[in-house]
Amino acid sequence: MKGVGKFQAGKTYKCSWGSSWRDDSEEEFIIGQTYLLPLELRGPSGNENILTLIPYLDDNHGLYKVQDGKLIDKYNFFSFGSIISWDEFVLLFNKKVEQIKNEE
């Protein structure tokens, strides 16, 4: 897990999602693959921090594969194209967040 701010190295996180949140015909999570997963921190529970997958953003239902250094966004939810380099995605995403924070 990579992240900054609320998500920190060395902490234990428990991530959950409902089995009905994803259709059986959709791409499955594959161990060893890299994904962008929209997560929401739901709060600590003992020594664990509880996260939940946010599946309702678009038809990807919370699964954006990163392959060969590129983010695959087949429904173009982020409006950066259906395939974009990871570095460019991070740059554009951070820029968009700053614009929202600054109410531009």
Side-chain angles (χ1 to χ4, degrees):
M1 173 181 257
K2 296 180 181 179
V4 295
K6 294 181 182 180
F7 305 107
Q8 298 172 2
K11 285 190 174 183
T12 301
Y13 295 91
K14 180 179 180 181
C15 186
S16 62
W17 65 87
S19 60
S20 63
W21 294 357
R22 295 187 49 81
D23 186 293
D24 288 340
S25 66
E26 295 175 301
E27 186 175 347
E28 292 294 322
F29 296 101
I30 299 171
I31 294 173
Q33 297 290 321
T34 302
Y35 300 94
L36 168 67
L37 302 173
L39 301 173
E40 180 179 19
L41 184 61
R42 292 286 174 103
S45 176
N47 291 331
E48 293 182 324
N49 292 284
I50 307 301
L51 305 171
T52 187
L53 180 68
I54 302 173
Y56 50 79
L57 295 177
D58 69 1
D59 289 337
N60 280 316
H61 297 123
L63 178 67
Y64 301 89
K65 190 172 187 177
V66 179
Q67 185 173 10
D68 299 325
K70 295 181 176 88
L71 177 76
I72 301 169
D73 179 6
K74 57 185 175 176
Y75 300 102
N76 196 20
F77 171 75
F78 296 103
S79 300
F80 305 142
S82 58
I83 298 176
I84 183 171
S85 78
W86 178 253
D87 291 337
E88 186 176 2
F89 170 77
V90 171
L91 181 74
L92 292 172
F93 183 82
N94 287 333
K95 183 177 178 180
K96 186 178 269 191
V97 168
E98 284 304 313
Q99 288 173 336
I100 291 168
K101 284 181 177 179
N102 296 325
E103 298 179 25
E104 294 177 9

